[in-house]
Amino acid sequence: MVNTKNKSVIFMKRPDDYPIVGEHFVLQHTDLVAELEEGDILTRNLYLSLDPYLRGRMDGIEGAYVPCFHIGNPINGYGMGEVIQSKNSKYPVGSLVFGVITWELFSLIPPSFNNLIILPNAIRESKVPLSWYLGALGMTGLTAYGSLKLFANLKPGETIFVSAAMGAVGHLVGQMAKRQGLRVVGSAGTDEKVKVLLEELNFDAAFNYKTGNILQSLQKACPEGIDIYYDNVGGEQLEAALEVLKQHGRVVVSGMIDDYNRVTPYHIKNLVLIFQKRIKIEGFVCLDFEKEIWPEFTADVTKWLLEGDIVCKEEVTEGLENAPSVFVNNLKGKNLGKGVIKIADL
Amino acid sequence: MVNTKNKSVIFMKRPDDYPIVGEHFVLQHTDLVAELEEGDILTRNLYLSLDPYLRGRMDGIEGAYVPCFHIGNPINGYGMGEVIQSKNSKYPVGSLVFGVITWELFSLIPPSFNNLIILPNAIRESKVPLSWYLGALGMTGLTAYGSLKLFANLKPGETIFVSAAMGAVGHLVGQMAKRQGLRVVGSAGTDEKVKVLLEELNFDAAFNYKTGNILQSLQKACPEGIDIYYDNVGGEQLEAALEVLKQHGRVVVSGMIDDYNRVTPYHIKNLVLIFQKRIKIEGFVCLDFEKEIWPEFTADVTKWLLEGDIVCKEEVTEGLENAPSVFVNNLKGKNLGKGVIKIADL
């Protein structure tokens, strides 16, 4: 029997533009009173991962995407929790789990939704912060690692351009490409982010896409062109990248955050270059390869992190109640690295 | 020693929009007086291939593309000729050659430009019309055959949508996909073309993109979506295809004729679907694979044509002087199948 005070972030209304706290999602104080049925588990939630792709799930276009949110239900997304009650032998009480959980203090998770990964007990004593299991060691890191491995076909000496390069995925992509011997160029939306890219993350070049002409900045940073564009943004940066890509260049589309909140997306005017330069563009969603890549991803990235080969930049905000506003700020590019909500200590 | 009256189609001015006969290219009567130097050959030209990609070469953007045209020089493009003088042992007098020739009665071809293919003597008695060596058995056929083989990854039972489906490449792509067991859907710009697609070329569905809403027509023709979009057009048809493509759908970009003559290309508003549906888009130029694919292409397609498995639709116009106007008409979609200029009999 469960009978506890809960807090839930409820999805209220589909946004056309940026979601607004209090209008499109609200925090509700609720009572969780329930009897666990066969297969159910109850988690005490510790961390939430604030991922821009969740914005797409607010649109309500079923089929095009991972399941969209339903009005009146809690938001859900990747997060970490501890199993505190269980009627599922796969998830004993005390298990530390990672996967899709609701944005609540406590999640009652039915068996139909239990694709949670049990994290090894050893990470309770991990040398890296627990929150990194939502960033470099979570789906964010998997997105960067898996997409580079499966789609980008990186070769030492090539040049890669990463947009939203100080974002959760972007800053890992850049560092991973750098350690494979590529020249790495990034764009970001503040001078502070550009500084971090150059001084902390070892990017070869970086520019603020808000304070100059994007195409000119990219051309200046890459006088010999680029081989790969790692797209987190779409829009004008994709247009500039097509212009600067070499023949047979590749574009890996990890996201198009610029389009998520626009009623009318930016008008890209040079798509004919796809044909003229024989460009390959490939979109992906990490769900497609998570199982296939997970073991080698965990082994490699843990090693790189512990050896200081790459770092995980993050902004951890305490309190479930802050999840909506921090999420919106992330969509607006205000975060430096991975955005994480800490709900409770382990 | 060469001393002969010649006629040449000269490139005069870079067009912004559709090229205009008499303004952007003109027919000139010239005298060809020259001494062949070592390696030169002189061809008497028989056929010219009117290919939309030539419009791109008028733009003068070097590097992005196969060489662009220079003001004051003859247009050049794929064609067939007979060697009538030779100082090049690779090309004896009497050879029938296919490759890049100038739009002239006679072409003086220096060794630096001699990537011509010598056609087998047997085709003088070929059962298929000689002009088909510019269509189904020329670069047009190679484009269709090679791109389907290398990029489209066709599987029986899948649905392919081909735009400009009555164009030189499109009508071959559709027939080739059909004989591999795919459901084939095409768009074209006149009701007459739609009729030919359905009644002569065995397409499963076809629609006139000018007389209805493109997206609705495509959705109606493909209620279960499409697996592959073979793009000859870009613009609004690409936008509709992205909408109707299934998850993990593929787009093969053979051309974007809709963009060649527009100062401002159509605004595609759903590129975010590349990411959301994990779509792969690949542009190609057949020059990249012509040598690799040529032998098997010739063997396969000759067989298919002789067995009546596929047909080559073409419009042959006599007279070099008609090349510019017929070329512009082709750009405007007025041709039914491959556009060919016949300059002289063999």
Side-chain angles (χ1 to χ4, degrees), chain B residues 26-79:
Chain B
V26 296
L27 186 81
Q28 284 186 355
H29 294 259
T30 51
D31 291 304
L32 178 59
V33 182
E35 194 74 54
L36 262 65
E37 296 184 13
E38 205 47 46
D40 288 351
I41 59 173
L42 182 73
T43 58
R44 178 176 75 89
N45 297 330
L46 306 173
Y47 288 97
L48 297 179
S49 174
L50 301 179
D51 300 318
Y53 86 93
L54 297 173
R55 174 62 186 81
R57 298 180 59 195
M58 295 181 172
D59 279 340
I61 305 163
E62 287 289 3
Y65 212 75
V66 286
C68 50
F69 297 128
H70 293 289
I71 308 289
N73 284 3
I75 302 282
N76 61 63
Y78 287 107

Short mmCIF file of all heavy atoms in Angstrom, two decimals, chain B residues 26-79:
data_model
loop_
_atom_site.label_atom_id
_atom_site.label_comp_id
_atom_site.label_asym_id
_atom_site.label_seq_id
_atom_site.Cartn_x
_atom_site.Cartn_y
_atom_site.Cartn_z
N VAL B 26 23.21 31.83 -77.84
CA VAL B 26 22.83 32.14 -79.23
C VAL B 26 23.52 31.16 -80.17
O VAL B 26 24.57 30.59 -79.85
CB VAL B 26 23.27 33.57 -79.64
CG1 VAL B 26 22.55 34.62 -78.82
CG2 VAL B 26 24.78 33.73 -79.52
N LEU B 27 22.91 30.98 -81.32
CA LEU B 27 23.55 30.18 -82.37
C LEU B 27 24.44 31.09 -83.20
O LEU B 27 24.00 32.16 -83.64
CB LEU B 27 22.49 29.54 -83.27
CG LEU B 27 23.05 28.57 -84.31
CD1 LEU B 27 23.30 27.20 -83.68
CD2 LEU B 27 22.13 28.44 -85.51
N GLN B 28 25.67 30.69 -83.40
CA GLN B 28 26.57 31.48 -84.25
C GLN B 28 27.08 30.61 -85.39
O GLN B 28 27.37 29.43 -85.20
CB GLN B 28 27.76 31.99 -83.43
CG GLN B 28 27.41 33.15 -82.52
CD GLN B 28 28.62 33.75 -81.82
OE1 GLN B 28 29.74 33.25 -81.94
NE2 GLN B 28 28.38 34.84 -81.09
N HIS B 29 27.17 31.23 -86.58
CA HIS B 29 27.81 30.57 -87.72
C HIS B 29 29.29 30.92 -87.66
O HIS B 29 29.64 32.10 -87.59
CB HIS B 29 27.19 31.04 -89.03
CG HIS B 29 25.75 30.61 -89.17
ND1 HIS B 29 25.36 29.55 -89.94
CD2 HIS B 29 24.63 31.10 -88.61
CE1 HIS B 29 24.05 29.40 -89.86
NE2 HIS B 29 23.57 30.33 -89.05
N THR B 30 30.10 29.93 -87.67
CA THR B 30 31.53 30.19 -87.52
C THR B 30 32.30 29.40 -88.57
O THR B 30 31.74 28.51 -89.23
CB THR B 30 32.02 29.75 -86.12
OG1 THR B 30 31.57 28.40 -85.90
CG2 THR B 30 31.46 30.63 -85.03
N ASP B 31 33.53 29.77 -88.72
CA ASP B 31 34.43 28.95 -89.54
C ASP B 31 35.39 28.23 -88.61
O ASP B 31 35.96 28.85 -87.71
CB ASP B 31 35.23 29.83 -90.51
CG ASP B 31 34.31 30.43 -91.57
OD1 ASP B 31 33.62 29.66 -92.27
OD2 ASP B 31 34.27 31.68 -91.67
N LEU B 32 35.50 26.93 -88.81
CA LEU B 32 36.45 26.18 -88.00
C LEU B 32 37.69 25.96 -88.86
O LEU B 32 37.69 25.15 -89.79
CB LEU B 32 35.82 24.84 -87.58
CG LEU B 32 36.71 23.90 -86.76
CD1 LEU B 32 37.16 24.55 -85.46
CD2 LEU B 32 35.98 22.60 -86.46
N VAL B 33 38.71 26.77 -88.59
CA VAL B 33 39.97 26.65 -89.33
C VAL B 33 41.05 26.35 -88.29
O VAL B 33 41.28 27.16 -87.40
CB VAL B 33 40.31 27.96 -90.08
CG1 VAL B 33 41.60 27.80 -90.88
CG2 VAL B 33 39.17 28.37 -90.99
N ALA B 34 41.64 25.19 -88.38
CA ALA B 34 42.62 24.82 -87.36
C ALA B 34 43.49 23.68 -87.87
O ALA B 34 43.14 22.96 -88.81
CB ALA B 34 41.92 24.39 -86.08
N GLU B 35 44.61 23.55 -87.22
CA GLU B 35 45.51 22.42 -87.47
C GLU B 35 45.40 21.54 -86.22
O GLU B 35 45.57 22.01 -85.11
CB GLU B 35 46.94 22.95 -87.62
CG GLU B 35 47.94 21.96 -88.19
CD GLU B 35 47.72 21.75 -89.70
OE1 GLU B 35 47.71 22.75 -90.45
OE2 GLU B 35 47.53 20.58 -90.12
N LEU B 36 45.08 20.27 -86.41
CA LEU B 36 45.01 19.38 -85.24
C LEU B 36 46.40 19.22 -84.65
O LEU B 36 47.38 18.97 -85.37
CB LEU B 36 44.47 17.99 -85.65
CG LEU B 36 42.98 17.75 -85.41
CD1 LEU B 36 42.13 18.67 -86.27
CD2 LEU B 36 42.61 16.30 -85.63
N GLU B 37 46.48 19.38 -83.33
CA GLU B 37 47.76 19.13 -82.66
C GLU B 37 47.75 17.72 -82.09
O GLU B 37 46.72 17.05 -82.06
CB GLU B 37 47.97 20.16 -81.55
CG GLU B 37 48.09 21.55 -82.14
CD GLU B 37 48.39 22.63 -81.09
OE1 GLU B 37 48.75 22.26 -79.95
OE2 GLU B 37 48.27 23.81 -81.45
N GLU B 38 48.91 17.30 -81.64
CA GLU B 38 49.05 15.95 -81.09
C GLU B 38 47.99 15.70 -80.00
O GLU B 38 47.86 16.49 -79.07
CB GLU B 38 50.47 15.79 -80.51
CG GLU B 38 50.98 14.36 -80.47
CD GLU B 38 50.77 13.59 -81.78
OE1 GLU B 38 51.06 14.13 -82.87
OE2 GLU B 38 50.25 12.44 -81.71
N GLY B 39 47.22 14.64 -80.16
CA GLY B 39 46.21 14.29 -79.16
C GLY B 39 44.82 14.80 -79.50
O GLY B 39 43.83 14.34 -78.93
N ASP B 40 44.72 15.75 -80.42
CA ASP B 40 43.40 16.30 -80.77
C ASP B 40 42.59 15.31 -81.62
O ASP B 40 43.15 14.49 -82.35
CB ASP B 40 43.56 17.58 -81.62
CG ASP B 40 44.06 18.76 -80.81
OD1 ASP B 40 44.12 18.65 -79.58
OD2 ASP B 40 44.39 19.80 -81.44
N ILE B 41 41.27 15.44 -81.51
CA ILE B 41 40.40 14.77 -82.47
C ILE B 41 39.34 15.76 -82.94
O ILE B 41 39.05 16.75 -82.26
CB ILE B 41 39.70 13.50 -81.88
CG1 ILE B 41 38.83 13.85 -80.67
CG2 ILE B 41 40.71 12.42 -81.53
CD1 ILE B 41 37.99 12.70 -80.15
N LEU B 42 38.77 15.46 -84.10
CA LEU B 42 37.66 16.25 -84.62
C LEU B 42 36.47 15.32 -84.76
O LEU B 42 36.57 14.25 -85.36
CB LEU B 42 38.02 16.84 -86.00
CG LEU B 42 36.93 17.73 -86.62
CD1 LEU B 42 36.85 19.08 -85.91
CD2 LEU B 42 37.18 17.94 -88.12
N THR B 43 35.34 15.74 -84.16
CA THR B 43 34.14 14.90 -84.29
C THR B 43 33.08 15.61 -85.12
O THR B 43 32.97 16.84 -85.10
CB THR B 43 33.50 14.59 -82.90
OG1 THR B 43 33.18 15.82 -82.25
CG2 THR B 43 34.42 13.77 -82.03
N ARG B 44 32.36 14.80 -85.87
CA ARG B 44 31.14 15.25 -86.53
C ARG B 44 30.02 14.83 -85.58
O ARG B 44 29.89 13.64 -85.24
CB ARG B 44 31.02 14.50 -87.86
CG ARG B 44 29.77 14.82 -88.66
CD ARG B 44 29.81 14.10 -90.01
NE ARG B 44 29.52 12.67 -89.87
CZ ARG B 44 28.30 12.13 -89.92
NH1 ARG B 44 27.24 12.87 -90.09
NH2 ARG B 44 28.15 10.82 -89.79
N ASN B 45 29.27 15.78 -85.08
CA ASN B 45 28.36 15.48 -83.98
C ASN B 45 27.00 15.00 -84.48
O ASN B 45 26.48 15.51 -85.47
CB ASN B 45 28.22 16.70 -83.07
CG ASN B 45 29.55 17.05 -82.43
OD1 ASN B 45 30.37 16.16 -82.20
ND2 ASN B 45 29.78 18.32 -82.17
N LEU B 46 26.46 14.00 -83.79
CA LEU B 46 25.22 13.34 -84.23
C LEU B 46 24.04 13.66 -83.31
O LEU B 46 22.95 13.99 -83.78
CB LEU B 46 25.43 11.82 -84.27
CG LEU B 46 26.64 11.34 -85.10
CD1 LEU B 46 26.84 9.84 -84.91
CD2 LEU B 46 26.46 11.67 -86.58
N TYR B 47 24.27 13.55 -82.03
CA TYR B 47 23.18 13.74 -81.06
C TYR B 47 23.68 14.55 -79.86
O TYR B 47 24.82 14.40 -79.43
CB TYR B 47 22.67 12.39 -80.53
CG TYR B 47 21.87 11.60 -81.52
CD1 TYR B 47 22.47 10.58 -82.27
CD2 TYR B 47 20.51 11.84 -81.71
CE1 TYR B 47 21.74 9.83 -83.19
CE2 TYR B 47 19.76 11.10 -82.62
CZ TYR B 47 20.38 10.10 -83.35
OH TYR B 47 19.65 9.37 -84.25
N LEU B 48 22.78 15.37 -79.31
CA LEU B 48 23.06 16.07 -78.05
C LEU B 48 22.03 15.65 -77.02
O LEU B 48 20.84 15.51 -77.32
CB LEU B 48 22.95 17.59 -78.23
CG LEU B 48 23.91 18.28 -79.18
CD1 LEU B 48 23.60 19.78 -79.22
CD2 LEU B 48 25.36 18.04 -78.75
N SER B 49 22.48 15.50 -75.80
CA SER B 49 21.61 15.14 -74.68
C SER B 49 21.24 16.44 -73.94
O SER B 49 22.12 17.20 -73.53
CB SER B 49 22.40 14.20 -73.76
OG SER B 49 21.70 13.93 -72.59
N LEU B 50 19.94 16.69 -73.79
CA LEU B 50 19.50 17.94 -73.14
C LEU B 50 19.22 17.67 -71.66
O LEU B 50 18.15 17.20 -71.31
CB LEU B 50 18.26 18.47 -73.84
CG LEU B 50 18.45 18.78 -75.33
CD1 LEU B 50 17.14 19.27 -75.95
CD2 LEU B 50 19.56 19.79 -75.56
N ASP B 51 20.22 17.93 -70.84
CA ASP B 51 20.13 17.54 -69.43
C ASP B 51 19.92 18.75 -68.53
O ASP B 51 20.69 19.71 -68.60
CB ASP B 51 21.41 16.82 -69.01
CG ASP B 51 21.64 15.56 -69.84
OD1 ASP B 51 20.66 14.83 -70.09
OD2 ASP B 51 22.79 15.33 -70.27
N PRO B 52 18.92 18.70 -67.66
CA PRO B 52 18.63 19.84 -66.79
C PRO B 52 19.83 20.29 -65.94
O PRO B 52 19.95 21.46 -65.62
CB PRO B 52 17.50 19.32 -65.89
CG PRO B 52 16.84 18.26 -66.69
CD PRO B 52 17.93 17.63 -67.50
N TYR B 53 20.75 19.37 -65.61
CA TYR B 53 21.87 19.76 -64.75
C TYR B 53 22.73 20.83 -65.43
O TYR B 53 23.48 21.55 -64.76
CB TYR B 53 22.72 18.54 -64.36
CG TYR B 53 23.78 18.18 -65.37
CD1 TYR B 53 25.09 18.67 -65.25
CD2 TYR B 53 23.49 17.38 -66.48
CE1 TYR B 53 26.05 18.37 -66.19
CE2 TYR B 53 24.45 17.08 -67.42
CZ TYR B 53 25.74 17.56 -67.27
OH TYR B 53 26.70 17.28 -68.20
N LEU B 54 22.62 20.94 -66.76
CA LEU B 54 23.40 21.97 -67.47
C LEU B 54 23.02 23.37 -67.00
O LEU B 54 23.84 24.29 -67.03
CB LEU B 54 23.18 21.85 -68.98
CG LEU B 54 23.65 20.54 -69.63
CD1 LEU B 54 23.21 20.48 -71.09
CD2 LEU B 54 25.17 20.40 -69.52
N ARG B 55 21.78 23.50 -66.53
CA ARG B 55 21.36 24.80 -66.00
C ARG B 55 22.24 25.22 -64.84
O ARG B 55 22.61 26.40 -64.73
CB ARG B 55 19.88 24.73 -65.59
CG ARG B 55 19.34 25.96 -64.88
CD ARG B 55 19.41 27.21 -65.76
NE ARG B 55 19.01 28.40 -65.01
CZ ARG B 55 19.82 29.06 -64.19
NH1 ARG B 55 21.07 28.67 -64.03
NH2 ARG B 55 19.39 30.13 -63.55
N GLY B 56 22.61 24.27 -63.99
CA GLY B 56 23.49 24.55 -62.85
C GLY B 56 24.86 25.04 -63.31
O GLY B 56 25.48 25.87 -62.65
N ARG B 57 25.30 24.53 -64.45
CA ARG B 57 26.63 24.92 -64.94
C ARG B 57 26.62 26.34 -65.50
O ARG B 57 27.67 26.91 -65.77
CB ARG B 57 27.11 23.93 -66.00
CG ARG B 57 27.28 22.51 -65.45
CD ARG B 57 27.77 21.54 -66.51
NE ARG B 57 29.05 21.97 -67.06
CZ ARG B 57 29.56 21.48 -68.20
NH1 ARG B 57 28.89 20.57 -68.89
NH2 ARG B 57 30.72 21.91 -68.63
N MET B 58 25.44 26.90 -65.68
CA MET B 58 25.34 28.29 -66.15
C MET B 58 25.54 29.29 -65.02
O MET B 58 25.68 30.49 -65.27
CB MET B 58 23.97 28.53 -66.79
CG MET B 58 23.76 27.71 -68.06
SD MET B 58 22.14 28.04 -68.82
CE MET B 58 22.34 27.13 -70.38
N ASP B 59 25.54 28.79 -63.77
CA ASP B 59 25.55 29.71 -62.63
C ASP B 59 26.92 30.27 -62.29
O ASP B 59 27.03 31.24 -61.58
CB ASP B 59 24.97 29.02 -61.39
CG ASP B 59 23.45 29.02 -61.41
OD1 ASP B 59 22.87 29.85 -62.13
OD2 ASP B 59 22.85 28.19 -60.71
N GLY B 60 27.94 29.61 -62.74
CA GLY B 60 29.27 30.17 -62.53
C GLY B 60 29.81 30.01 -61.13
O GLY B 60 30.70 30.74 -60.71
N ILE B 61 29.27 29.04 -60.38
CA ILE B 61 29.82 28.79 -59.04
C ILE B 61 30.82 27.65 -59.16
O ILE B 61 30.46 26.48 -59.13
CB ILE B 61 28.70 28.45 -58.05
CG1 ILE B 61 27.64 29.55 -58.06
CG2 ILE B 61 29.26 28.25 -56.65
CD1 ILE B 61 26.32 29.14 -57.45
N GLU B 62 32.10 27.99 -59.33
CA GLU B 62 33.12 26.95 -59.50
C GLU B 62 33.30 26.19 -58.20
O GLU B 62 33.15 26.74 -57.12
CB GLU B 62 34.46 27.57 -59.91
CG GLU B 62 34.52 28.08 -61.34
CD GLU B 62 34.54 26.99 -62.42
OE1 GLU B 62 34.45 25.79 -62.09
OE2 GLU B 62 34.61 27.35 -63.61
N GLY B 63 33.64 24.94 -58.33
CA GLY B 63 33.96 24.17 -57.13
C GLY B 63 32.78 23.42 -56.59
O GLY B 63 32.91 22.29 -56.18
N ALA B 64 31.61 24.04 -56.64
CA ALA B 64 30.45 23.37 -56.09
C ALA B 64 30.00 22.26 -57.03
O ALA B 64 29.20 21.44 -56.66
CB ALA B 64 29.30 24.35 -55.89
N TYR B 65 30.51 22.24 -58.21
CA TYR B 65 29.84 21.49 -59.25
C TYR B 65 30.82 21.06 -60.33
O TYR B 65 31.98 21.41 -60.29
CB TYR B 65 28.78 22.43 -59.86
CG TYR B 65 27.58 21.70 -60.33
CD1 TYR B 65 26.66 21.23 -59.39
CD2 TYR B 65 27.39 21.42 -61.66
CE1 TYR B 65 25.56 20.53 -59.80
CE2 TYR B 65 26.29 20.72 -62.08
CZ TYR B 65 25.37 20.28 -61.15
OH TYR B 65 24.29 19.57 -61.54
N VAL B 66 30.35 20.26 -61.26
CA VAL B 66 31.12 20.04 -62.49
C VAL B 66 31.39 21.40 -63.12
O VAL B 66 30.69 22.36 -62.83
CB VAL B 66 30.32 19.10 -63.42
CG1 VAL B 66 30.35 17.68 -62.88
CG2 VAL B 66 28.89 19.55 -63.60
N PRO B 67 32.41 21.50 -63.98
CA PRO B 67 32.85 22.83 -64.44
C PRO B 67 31.71 23.68 -64.98
O PRO B 67 30.84 23.17 -65.68
CB PRO B 67 33.82 22.51 -65.58
CG PRO B 67 34.14 21.06 -65.49
CD PRO B 67 33.11 20.41 -64.64
N CYS B 68 31.71 24.96 -64.66
CA CYS B 68 30.64 25.80 -65.18
C CYS B 68 31.04 26.37 -66.53
O CYS B 68 32.19 26.29 -66.95
CB CYS B 68 30.26 26.88 -64.19
SG CYS B 68 31.62 27.80 -63.55
N PHE B 69 30.06 26.88 -67.23
CA PHE B 69 30.30 27.40 -68.57
C PHE B 69 30.99 28.75 -68.51
O PHE B 69 30.76 29.53 -67.58
CB PHE B 69 28.97 27.54 -69.32
CG PHE B 69 28.26 26.24 -69.54
CD1 PHE B 69 26.93 26.07 -69.18
CD2 PHE B 69 28.93 25.15 -70.10
CE1 PHE B 69 26.28 24.87 -69.37
CE2 PHE B 69 28.28 23.93 -70.30
CZ PHE B 69 26.95 23.80 -69.93
N HIS B 70 31.80 29.01 -69.50
CA HIS B 70 32.45 30.31 -69.58
C HIS B 70 31.80 31.13 -70.68
O HIS B 70 31.51 30.62 -71.75
CB HIS B 70 33.95 30.12 -69.85
CG HIS B 70 34.64 29.48 -68.69
ND1 HIS B 70 34.85 30.12 -67.50
CD2 HIS B 70 35.10 28.22 -68.51
CE1 HIS B 70 35.44 29.32 -66.64
NE2 HIS B 70 35.60 28.13 -67.22
N ILE B 71 31.61 32.39 -70.36
CA ILE B 71 30.98 33.32 -71.32
C ILE B 71 31.80 33.34 -72.62
O ILE B 71 33.02 33.43 -72.60
CB ILE B 71 30.94 34.75 -70.72
CG1 ILE B 71 30.31 34.77 -69.32
CG2 ILE B 71 30.28 35.73 -71.67
CD1 ILE B 71 28.84 34.54 -69.28
N GLY B 72 31.10 33.25 -73.73
CA GLY B 72 31.77 33.34 -75.03
C GLY B 72 32.17 31.98 -75.60
O GLY B 72 32.55 31.90 -76.77
N ASN B 73 32.11 30.95 -74.79
CA ASN B 73 32.45 29.61 -75.28
C ASN B 73 31.19 28.84 -75.66
O ASN B 73 30.10 29.16 -75.19
CB ASN B 73 33.16 28.81 -74.18
CG ASN B 73 34.61 29.24 -74.00
OD1 ASN B 73 35.06 30.17 -74.66
ND2 ASN B 73 35.31 28.57 -73.11
N PRO B 74 31.34 27.79 -76.48
CA PRO B 74 30.17 26.96 -76.76
C PRO B 74 29.72 26.22 -75.49
O PRO B 74 30.54 25.87 -74.64
CB PRO B 74 30.67 25.94 -77.79
CG PRO B 74 31.96 26.47 -78.30
CD PRO B 74 32.53 27.34 -77.21
N ILE B 75 28.42 26.01 -75.40
CA ILE B 75 27.88 25.09 -74.40
C ILE B 75 28.48 23.71 -74.66
O ILE B 75 28.75 23.35 -75.81
CB ILE B 75 26.33 24.98 -74.56
CG1 ILE B 75 25.65 26.34 -74.43
CG2 ILE B 75 25.74 23.95 -73.62
CD1 ILE B 75 25.48 26.83 -73.02
N ASN B 76 28.70 22.92 -73.61
CA ASN B 76 29.07 21.53 -73.84
C ASN B 76 28.27 20.63 -72.92
O ASN B 76 27.74 21.08 -71.90
CB ASN B 76 30.58 21.32 -73.67
CG ASN B 76 31.05 21.66 -72.27
OD1 ASN B 76 30.65 21.01 -71.31
ND2 ASN B 76 31.89 22.68 -72.15
N GLY B 77 28.13 19.40 -73.34
CA GLY B 77 27.36 18.45 -72.55
C GLY B 77 27.46 17.09 -73.20
O GLY B 77 28.16 16.93 -74.23
N TYR B 78 26.77 16.12 -72.63
CA TYR B 78 26.86 14.77 -73.20
C TYR B 78 26.27 14.73 -74.59
O TYR B 78 25.26 15.39 -74.89
CB TYR B 78 26.13 13.76 -72.30
CG TYR B 78 26.91 13.49 -71.04
CD1 TYR B 78 26.51 13.99 -69.82
CD2 TYR B 78 28.09 12.75 -71.11
CE1 TYR B 78 27.24 13.76 -68.67
CE2 TYR B 78 28.85 12.52 -69.97
CZ TYR B 78 28.42 13.02 -68.75
OH TYR B 78 29.17 12.80 -67.63
N GLY B 79 26.93 13.97 -75.45
CA GLY B 79 26.45 13.82 -76.81
C GLY B 79 27.20 12.69 -77.49
O GLY B 79 28.09 12.05 -76.91
#
